[in-house]
Amino acid sequence: VFGVKWTCVLEVASHFVILKLSPALSTHTHSASERAVESLSMLTIRGLRAGTAVETRLLWLASPLTNLHMATIAAPPSVIAIVAHTRHMEACSLCSFRPPVLEPADCRNAGVWAGARPVHERSGRNREVDGMRGREGFVNNKFVVLWNSNVMPTVLRGLQRRRCSGRRGFSAVFASVKEPVIAKPSSGRRASKEGTSNPDDKLASLRRCFETAGGIGIDAYIIPSEDPHQSEFIADCFMRRAYISGFTGSAGTAVVTKDKAALWTDGRYFLQAEKQLGPEWQLMRAGLPGVPTYSEWLQYTLAQGSKVGIDPFLFSSQEAAELKHSLLKNDHELIPLEDMNLVDQVWGESRPSLPSAPLRVHHIKFAGVDVATKLENLRRDLLHIGASAMVVTMLDEVAWLLNLRGNDVPHSPVSYAYAIVEPSIATLFVDESKITAEVSSHLRHFGVEIKAYDMLLPDLERLAKMGAKVLLDASRVSMAIVNCFNNACSTYYENLCQNRKEEHRNGPAARSNITQERVDQELSGPEGIYNASPITLSKAIKNASELDGMKQAHLRDAAAITEFWDWLEKQIASEEGALTEVEVADALLKFRAKQTGFLDTSFDTICGSGGNGAIIHYRAEAESCSVVSNQKLLLLDSGGQYVDGTTDITRTVHFGMPTAQQKECFTRVLQGHIAIDKAVFPEDTPGFVLDVLARSSLWKIGLDYRHGTGHGVGAALNVHEGPHSISARYGNMNGLKAGMIVSNEPGYYEDGAFGIRIENLLAVCEVKTANNYGGMTFLGFERLTMFPFQVSPLVGGDALEWLRVNTSPIAS
C-alpha cells in the first residue's frame, strides 16, 4: 500500500488482531505511512465469545513507538488500535492465549484484560498511564497491555511523552466490542400473522436421536448440503438439508441444537430462504457484517464442553479439521457419526432410493483424449508430487478421467462412483448394475478394474498395508475417507513396531534378518500426501475437441433460444392469456429438447418476473409463481446439457416500457458485461483482478451485486467447475489460462422490485497485441454464447460499437 508492506502477524484469542509493519517501513517517510494507514479497509473479526463481533481499523502502528504521529489518531467506540514496537514482536507467538469467557459488556469499561489468561507470574497487574488503567501480561516474555479504545487518545499521548516508560518490546492494545448483527428468526412476521404454528415434527424427531447418537449422545447436529462427493447438485436421496429445513436452495448449512435451529446461506438465497423456512428456524445471512459462522454460533450457543455430531462422509477433511479446531475454543468436541446419519433415521422409508442410471461412454470425438493418455499424464503428475496412488472422489473428475458419463445427478451427466489410480492399475468403484456391455468393454480396454461402490474403504486399507503414498485432496476428500486411511497407516506402523519387538525377543538369529534395505523399505511406509487434485486443472483446460463440441452445442442452443424468445414475445403481445413463470420455463425446455444431442437442463431454470428476479437463484413453483407480462422485467437464466457441450445463458428483457431506474441499472450491468468481454490481460491473471471491470459502472452510482462475476464451466460436464473464477473474493489465486471456459454474468437486484443479469460463456484464448512486453503471453475471450441482448438506448462510445457488431444479423 503506497509502497509500504503490511503483514498480519497473528490473531489473539479471537478478540483482536495485531498487525505490524515490515522492517522496510523505516525507510519511508511519515507521510507515506499515513497514506498507507488511511487506505486500509475495514476488517471483521469473528469468533468472539458471547456472539460478539468487532469491527477493526488499524489507526497507527509505529516503529519505534516514540515515532507516533498524533494526526492519524481517531477513536470511534468500535475500533481496535494496535501500537507495537516491531523489533520485539518478530518472535512473539500469541498462539498459547486461551481467552476467558467474555461478555459484551465487559469490553465497554476501560482496563479490561480481554486478551488471555495470564501466562507469566508477573502477569495480570493493572498498568496506569495518565490516570487510565490497562491490564498487563507477558506472553513468551513479551509485554502486552490492553486498554479500552475510548481512552486511546489519552493513553497514546502519555505513552508518547513517556516513551513507553522505558520498557522495551511494549505493545499497547485498545479494544471495544459491539453487539453482533444477527438475523431474526425466519418467517417471524409470517408466523405472527398466522398465529401459533405447529411444532416442527422433523426437528422433534431429530432431537430425539441426539440422546443415543454415537453411543454417547450429542448436543447439536450439523446438516450440510453436500453428498459424499462434495457435489453441488445432488441426488434426491442426499437432499437431507432440504428435507429437514424445507429450504431447497443449492447452498446452505443447517445446525440443530436441543432448543434451536438455524440455517446459513449466502446472498443468492436470502429471499428464497426467508420464504421457505418455518418459524422455528433462524435464517443466518452468511457474509453480512456481524453474522457469525455456524462454528462461531455453536461456540456461544452451546454450554462449554458440548458434543457436536456430523456425518463424516459429508464434510471434507479440511472443513472437518477447521470445524474441530474452532469448536475446541470452548472445549466442544466434534463427534463423527460414521455408521449413521441422523436425518436418514428421521426420513425413514420415505427417503428416495439411491440412483441406478446406467453409465455411457463419452465418445473420443467429444473427449479429444483417450483414457490411456489421461491416466499416463495423471501418473506423471503423481510421481512429481511424490505420490504412488490417488483417490478420486469428485464425480466430474471420475467421469472426465475415464471418459464416462452418467445420469445419477440432476443437471450433471455424472454417476456416483470413486476411482483409485495406482502405478499400474486403475479401479472404478461403482454400483455394478450401472455397467453396460459397452462400458465394460471400454474400461477393460484401458485396464480399468471394476469394484463395488462400498469397497473403497477396504481398498484404502489395502493400499496402507502395501506402504502406498496416497494423494488426498483435503478440500474434497471426505473426513471418513481420510480417517480410514490414517487409521490404516497407524495400524501399519503399530504392527511394524510389534514385529520388531518380537524379533528382538527371539535373539540374534532373528535380528540378523533385519537389513538396512529392509528397514528403509519399512520406514518408507504408507503416507497421506495432501495436495490439490491434478485432475482439476487438466479438466479445466479444454482441448481442441472439447472446445469444438462446446461451440457446436452453443450454436444449437442459440437456435432453440431464438425460436423460444420469438414465441414468447408473440405470446406476451397476444390476448390469449398470461403465462406463468413455470409455463415459460417449461416452454423453453421443449424448444431445447428438439435440438440434436440435448440431454437435460444444466441447472433448474431461473425464470423470475418482477420482484422474483431479485431472488438470485429463484425457482418458480406452480402454486406460488408470478405471471410474466409486459409490465415487469423478466430475468431468464437457463442452460442445457448436450452430448458434446454444456451451456449457461441469462437474458433480462422488458416487453413494455421499463422505468428510468430500470434502464439505468440495465445499462450499467451491460457496460460491465461488455468490459469483461473486451478484456485483455496477461496469462495467469487471477479472475479477481478482472472482477472490478464488471462492477465499476455500478459502483459509480453506489450499486453492486452479491455474487461472483464468473465461474468455470465443464465440457459436457458440470455447469460449475473450478479451479478458476471471476469474483470479488481475492482468495482464489488460480490464474486464467488459454482453453478455460468462464461465465460473464454481472447483475443488479432490488429486493421485491426487479433483478437484472446478463450472462454469456467465454473461452479464454490467446490474443495478438501490438507489443509483447517481457515476452508475456496476453489472453482475452472468445464468446461461445450466440444469442443477442435487448439493446439499451443509453449505451454510447465503445460499448455502443461493441453492441452494433455483436447484435448484427448473421449474414446468410
Side-chain angles (χ1 to χ4, degrees):
V1 181
F2 291 104
V4 180
K5 293 184 179 179
W6 296 77
T7 306
C8 180
V9 182
L10 29 86
E11 180 179 338
V12 185
S14 298
H15 295 296
F16 52 86
V17 164
I18 289 182
L19 303 181
K20 75 177 183 66
L21 291 176
S22 72
L25 176 66
S26 59
T27 65
H28 294 270
T29 64
H30 285 307
S31 59
S33 302
E34 281 186 51
R35 291 197 303 272
V37 170
E38 291 167 358
S39 68
L40 288 177
S41 60
M42 297 298 289
L43 303 172
T44 299
I45 310 303
R46 298 187 179 91
L48 299 185
R49 294 182 180 277
T52 58
V54 176
E55 286 186 357
T56 72
R57 185 187 293 277
L58 181 67
L59 296 179
W60 183 255
L61 186 56
S63 178
L65 184 64
T66 53
N67 288 338
L68 284 174
H69 193 286
M70 298 309 299
T72 64
I73 300 301
S78 61
V79 164
I80 292 175
I82 308 280
V83 183
H85 198 310
T86 57
R87 285 182 300 166
H88 302 284
M89 291 297 291
E90 291 290 343
C92 180
S93 170
L94 305 184
C95 297
S96 58
F97 272 169
R98 288 180 58 82
V101 175
L102 176 67
E103 298 298 335
D106 291 341
C107 285
R108 297 197 184 98
N109 303 315
V112 174
W113 172 245
R117 295 193 180 106
V119 292
H120 188 281
E121 65 273 10
R122 295 174 57 194
S123 300
R125 299 181 302 177
N126 289 327
R127 180 174 179 82
E128 186 172 310
V129 174
D130 284 9
M132 300 300 172
R133 286 190 174 184
R135 194 67 169 163
E136 71 178 54
F138 280 82
V139 179
N140 292 351
N141 295 317
K142 301 300 183 292
F143 185 67
V144 178
V145 179
L146 177 78
W147 281 277
N148 191 280
S149 62
N150 59 9
V151 302
M152 180 175 59
T154 302
V155 173
L156 285 180
R157 282 193 293 271
L159 293 176
Q160 186 182 30
R161 189 166 56 250
R162 301 179 188 193
R163 298 192 178 185
C164 309
S165 301
R167 187 181 291 275
R168 303 180 66 203
F170 175 85
S171 298
V173 180
F174 301 85
S176 67
V177 180
K178 70 174 186 177
E179 294 295 336
V181 180
I182 301 177
K184 293 180 179 180
S186 175
S187 308
R189 293 188 301 274
R190 185 168 71 249
S192 63
K193 291 179 181 179
E194 297 172 354
T196 303
S197 60
N198 294 325
D200 191 319
D201 292 337
K202 294 176 184 176
L203 285 178
S205 298
L206 181 64
R207 286 167 175 147
R208 283 195 290 271
C209 296
F210 285 10
E211 299 175 5
T212 57
I216 56 176
I218 59 173
D219 303 290
Y221 192 62
I222 304 174
I223 308 107
S225 302
E226 286 75 14
D227 61 15
H229 301 263
Q230 308 299 305
S231 307
E232 177 186 13
F233 299 122
I234 59 178
D236 290 346
C237 60
F238 295 120
M239 292 185 178
R240 298 175 173 111
R241 189 223 61 223
Y243 170 78
I244 203 69
S245 70
F247 168 63
T248 59
S250 65
T253 301
V255 180
V256 179
T257 70
K258 292 179 178 179
D259 58 356
K260 293 182 176 67
L263 181 131
W264 279 256
T265 191
D266 59 53
R268 298 171 297 169
Y269 298 104
F270 289 166
L271 297 180
Q272 178 182 346
E274 180 65 33
K275 287 183 177 182
Q276 293 182 330
L277 292 176
E280 291 193 32
W281 286 87
Q282 183 177 17
L283 172 60
M284 309 299 284
R285 294 173 173 83
L288 293 187
V291 177
T293 64
Y294 65 83
S295 61
E296 293 165 349
W297 184 78
L298 284 168
Q299 286 179 41
Y300 68 78
T301 298
L302 298 177
Q304 188 172 6
S306 295
K307 294 179 174 60
V308 179
I310 63 169
D311 182 336
F313 285 95
L314 307 184
F315 285 79
S316 72
S317 172
Q318 177 178 303
E319 186 180 12
E322 292 171 354
L323 176 60
K324 180 178 180 180
H325 176 75
S326 178
L327 293 175
L328 282 174
K329 293 179 182 178
N330 202 24
D331 295 328
H332 299 324
E333 183 180 359
L334 186 65
I335 307 295
L337 305 174
E338 296 185 1
D339 299 325
M340 67 178 72
N341 184 287
L342 300 191
V343 175
D344 291 352
Q345 293 189 3
V346 176
W347 213 339
E349 295 181 357
S350 61
R351 182 191 175 209
S353 58
L354 292 169
S356 57
L359 285 162
R360 59 182 172 86
V361 176
H362 189 56
H363 199 281
I364 188 65
K365 69 179 179 180
F366 304 133
V369 179
D370 64 17
V371 175
T373 303
K374 290 181 178 181
L375 288 173
E376 180 183 355
N377 292 338
L378 177 58
R379 286 168 176 141
R380 187 184 303 116
D381 291 335
L382 294 178
L383 185 62
H384 177 74
I385 294 170
S388 59
M390 176 183 175
V391 180
V392 187
T393 63
M394 301 297 289
L395 301 184
D396 60 332
E397 293 192 357
V398 174
W400 179 87
L401 180 66
L402 301 179
N403 286 345
L404 295 174
R405 297 295 186 267
N407 195 30
D408 281 354
V409 178
H411 316 302
S412 297
V414 296
S415 182
Y416 280 104
Y418 295 101
I420 289 181
V421 178
E422 300 175 63
S424 58
I425 62 170
T427 306
L428 176 67
F429 299 85
V430 67
D431 180 350
E432 296 181 59
S433 67
K434 300 177 184 180
I435 303 295
T436 64
E438 182 187 17
V439 169
S440 178
S441 175
H442 167 78
L443 294 175
R444 282 200 310 271
H445 176 74
F446 294 109
V448 179
E449 296 183 0
I450 302 170
K451 293 185 179 181
Y453 180 80
D454 57 6
M455 287 299 294
L456 174 71
L457 297 186
D459 227 49
L460 276 174
E461 294 172 346
R462 173 187 64 82
L463 287 175
K465 290 179 181 178
M466 293 171 53
K469 299 187 183 301
V470 180
L471 188 147
L472 300 166
D473 187 339
S475 66
R476 299 173 173 213
V477 177
S478 72
M479 178 189 190
I481 290 175
V482 171
N483 284 352
C484 172
F485 183 71
N486 286 343
N487 290 338
C489 290
S490 297
T491 301
Y492 172 94
Y493 288 109
E494 288 170 2
N495 291 339
L496 183 63
C497 291
Q498 187 62 37
N499 292 338
R500 283 289 168 272
K501 291 179 182 178
E502 291 294 331
E503 289 174 344
H504 278 278
R505 289 195 193 100
N506 293 334
R511 289 198 296 271
S512 65
N513 295 326
I514 306 175
T515 64
Q516 185 61 46
E517 181 181 359
R518 177 183 169 190
V519 170
D520 292 341
Q521 182 178 0
E522 290 177 339
L523 291 180
S524 180
E527 179 185 359
I529 306 295
Y530 295 94
N531 198 86
S533 168
I535 299 174
T536 304
L537 182 60
S538 299
K539 176 170 57 67
I541 300 176
K542 276 60 178 178
N543 59 54
S545 297
E546 290 172 322
L547 287 172
D548 183 66
M550 290 290 282
K551 292 174 183 178
Q552 295 302 317
H554 275 84
L555 184 61
R556 299 195 302 277
D557 199 59
I561 294 172
T562 301
E563 190 177 4
F564 160 77
W565 278 109
D566 178 64
W567 169 85
L568 180 59
E569 192 169 17
K570 291 174 181 176
Q571 289 292 313
I572 297 297
S574 72
E575 298 180 357
E576 297 180 4
L579 292 168
T580 67
E581 296 164 331
V582 169
E583 290 170 334
V584 169
D586 289 344
L588 175 56
L589 176 58
K590 291 178 181 178
F591 281 105
R592 273 201 171 103
K594 293 190 295 182
Q595 294 297 318
T596 302
F598 177 80
L599 301 171
D600 192 5
T601 55
S602 56
F603 55 93
D604 283 321
T605 297
I606 301 169
C607 182
S609 177
N612 289 338
I615 304 174
I616 297 171
H617 277 198
Y618 172 68
R619 182 177 180 181
E621 302 288 350
E623 63 275 7
S624 60
C625 64
S626 294
V627 171
V628 177
S629 74
N630 61 3
Q631 303 299 313
K632 298 179 288 186
L633 277 172
L634 174 65
L635 186 155
L636 187 60
D637 187 350
S638 67
Q641 288 286 5
Y642 295 84
V643 68
D644 50 353
T646 303
T647 71
D648 184 1
I649 175 175
T650 307
R651 292 296 183 265
T652 304
V653 301
H654 201 299
F655 295 106
M657 181 58 66
T659 66
Q661 168 75 352
Q662 290 171 342
K663 288 181 181 179
E664 179 174 18
C665 293
F666 180 91
T667 300
R668 291 184 179 276
V669 171
L670 180 57
Q671 288 170 332
H673 178 97
I674 294 173
I676 291 289
D677 187 276
K678 295 170 59 180
V680 176
F681 47 91
E683 186 178 33
D684 283 326
T685 296
F688 72 81
V689 175
L690 304 182
D691 186 78
V692 65
L693 300 177
R695 300 177 192 267
S696 179
S697 186
L698 287 166
W699 286 352
K700 289 176 181 177
I701 59 171
L703 301 180
D704 204 347
Y705 50 95
R706 290 194 189 110
H707 59 73
T709 299
H711 56 82
V713 180
L717 267 176
N718 292 355
V719 73
H720 297 148
E721 75 169 14
H724 57 292
S725 67
I726 300 176
S727 172
R729 298 179 179 179
Y730 50 83
N732 187 346
M733 297 299 296
N734 291 286
L736 295 173
K737 300 178 184 295
M740 288 179 167
I741 294 174
V742 65
S743 67
N744 173 15
E745 50 181 311
Y748 173 69
Y749 312 89
E750 285 196 6
D751 290 355
F754 62 86
I756 298 168
R757 185 161 65 252
I758 302 171
E759 178 186 17
N760 283 344
L761 294 192
L762 308 172
V764 183
C765 59
E766 290 190 22
V767 297
K768 293 182 179 179
T769 54
N771 301 290
N772 189 26
Y773 180 79
M776 288 192 299
T777 298
F778 283 84
L779 305 177
F781 295 115
E782 177 185 1
R783 201 173 315 107
L784 297 176
T785 306
M786 301 180 184
F787 184 79
F789 307 102
Q790 192 168 41
V791 180
S792 168
L794 305 182
V795 174
D798 292 343
L800 181 60
E801 176 62 16
W802 185 94
L803 276 174
R804 187 191 67 77
V805 171
N806 291 287
T807 59
S808 298
I810 299 173
S812 59

